[in-house]
Amino acid sequence: GITDRMPEVRAPKLKAKSTISRRPAFQLEEWQRLYRYMRSWTSEGAQTVTDAKSIRKRGPHSRHLFQRNMIRNYILFMAMSGLRPNEAKQLKWRDFSNLVIHVPETTKTGGRACVPLRSTKRVLDRLRSLSPNNRNDDLVFCDFEGNPVQNFGKTFKKLLIQMDMLHDKSGQARTIYSLRHTYATFRLLYGHARVDDLARNMGTSPALIQNHYSHVNVYNRATELSGIHHTEKSRSGLYL
């Protein structure tokens, strides 16, 4: 009898729990398929051509093969180092010292030292012999004239479409950044890297590594509890 009407009470808005989605990377079998395909993709016979019509008839010419070899080595390098695309874009030959990469200060998180996988040396040796721009102050990833390549992503996308590998199992589209996620996943899964060491090497925080790659820890626990361990054979097939 105190009130003569039902008061209007609105339910409080609850903040949705922040969910961090799993980032699209490559599984081991997919990665092996990709780098094997790139070998044949870059070994097609070079043609000396003078016009666009000849290119269509006779296949890729020497400049096209240079671009293909450049992006092949770029893809391998990104998956072996875990660098961000903008970090790799700024690299010059002087930034390498005994396989330690000195990431420039002008990048997203500032300068740092990054240690890539040992296999990176083969990629760098190929790049030095491939490009006429291999002096200390030259960009590592550039076109034939030494200019920075603005976008490797378009060619990478076309390559994945050709192989029917553009999307992962959850339907997410893979990009150049997926190579960084592949590096992190493989280092945790096959290299058994410590989270804090991996975070420093990648220029990020341990919390972000834990959040985005928690599925790797689940998989590792499953293999340990089941008595199944990764073999040297599987690890040796990562970066060929």
Side-chain angles (χ1 to χ4, degrees):
I2 300 177
T3 62
D4 57 0
R5 62 183 178 83
M6 179 66 70
E8 181 182 358
V9 179
R10 294 184 179 182
K13 292 183 179 180
L14 300 178
K15 291 185 178 180
K17 292 183 178 179
S18 60
T19 57
I20 300 179
S21 60
R22 178 173 172 176
R23 297 187 167 178
F26 293 94
Q27 296 183 3
L28 177 58
E29 295 78 11
E30 294 173 323
W31 173 246
Q32 291 173 333
R33 184 180 158 216
L34 175 60
Y35 69 63
R36 287 167 182 162
Y37 178 81
M38 287 192 297
R39 288 177 187 165
S40 60
W41 186 61
T42 56
S43 62
E44 298 176 13
Q47 304 290 340
T48 302
V49 297
T50 56
D51 55 64
K53 185 177 180 180
S54 298
I55 294 174
R56 289 195 298 271
K57 284 188 174 182
R58 304 177 62 184
H61 59 81
S62 55
R63 287 296 178 94
H64 286 173
L65 291 178
F66 170 84
Q67 294 167 356
R68 287 187 180 188
N69 276 284
M70 177 62 70
I71 193 168
R72 174 203 173 196
N73 288 292
Y74 173 81
I75 290 169
L76 293 173
F77 175 85
M78 297 299 283
M80 292 177 182
S81 65
L83 292 188
R84 299 177 178 89
N86 189 51
E87 293 171 345
K89 180 180 178 180
Q90 299 184 46
L91 284 179
K92 296 183 177 180
W93 286 108
R94 67 183 180 204
D95 295 322
F96 293 89
S97 174
N98 295 325
L99 256 190
V100 176
I101 304 171
H102 301 283
V103 179
E105 293 283 347
T106 52
T107 56
K108 178 179 178 179
T109 56
R112 74 176 187 280
C114 171
V115 181
L117 298 183
R118 289 191 300 271
S119 305
T120 310
K121 185 179 185 305
R122 283 185 289 174
V123 174
L124 294 174
D125 289 343
R126 282 201 299 262
L127 282 168
R128 272 196 178 275
S129 62
L130 170 69
S131 176
N133 310 291
N134 50 29
R135 294 167 296 184
N136 285 342
D137 288 331
D138 289 334
L139 291 169
V140 176
F141 299 105
C142 59
D143 61 20
F144 199 80
E145 286 73 29
N147 303 310
V149 177
Q150 297 301 321
N151 193 352
F152 277 118
K154 291 182 179 179
T155 306
F156 186 54
K157 181 178 180 180
K158 290 180 181 178
L159 186 61
L160 294 182
I161 291 175
Q162 289 176 18
M163 302 185 65
D164 193 24
M165 289 174 56
L166 180 60
H167 297 92
D168 66 5
K169 289 184 177 180
S170 63
Q172 295 187 85
R174 294 184 172 109
T175 65
I176 288 292
Y177 227 91
S178 298
L179 299 170
R180 175 173 166 88
H181 306 321
T182 299
Y183 167 83
T185 300
F186 285 179
R187 295 318 299 148
L188 291 169
L189 188 56
Y190 302 108
H192 303 293
R194 290 165 49 107
V195 170
D196 53 346
D197 291 337
L198 185 62
R200 281 194 295 270
N201 207 45
M202 296 179 66
T204 188
S205 67
L208 188 145
I209 296 290
Q210 291 281 13
N211 288 335
H212 286 295
Y213 304 101
S214 58
H215 63 284
V216 179
N217 292 330
V218 172
Y219 186 85
N220 276 331
R221 291 293 295 160
T223 56
E224 291 171 5
L225 292 172
S226 64
I228 301 174
H229 299 283
H230 303 300
T231 64
E232 288 295 332
K233 184 178 181 181
S234 67
R235 287 197 292 268
S236 66
L238 292 177
Y239 302 100
L240 297 179

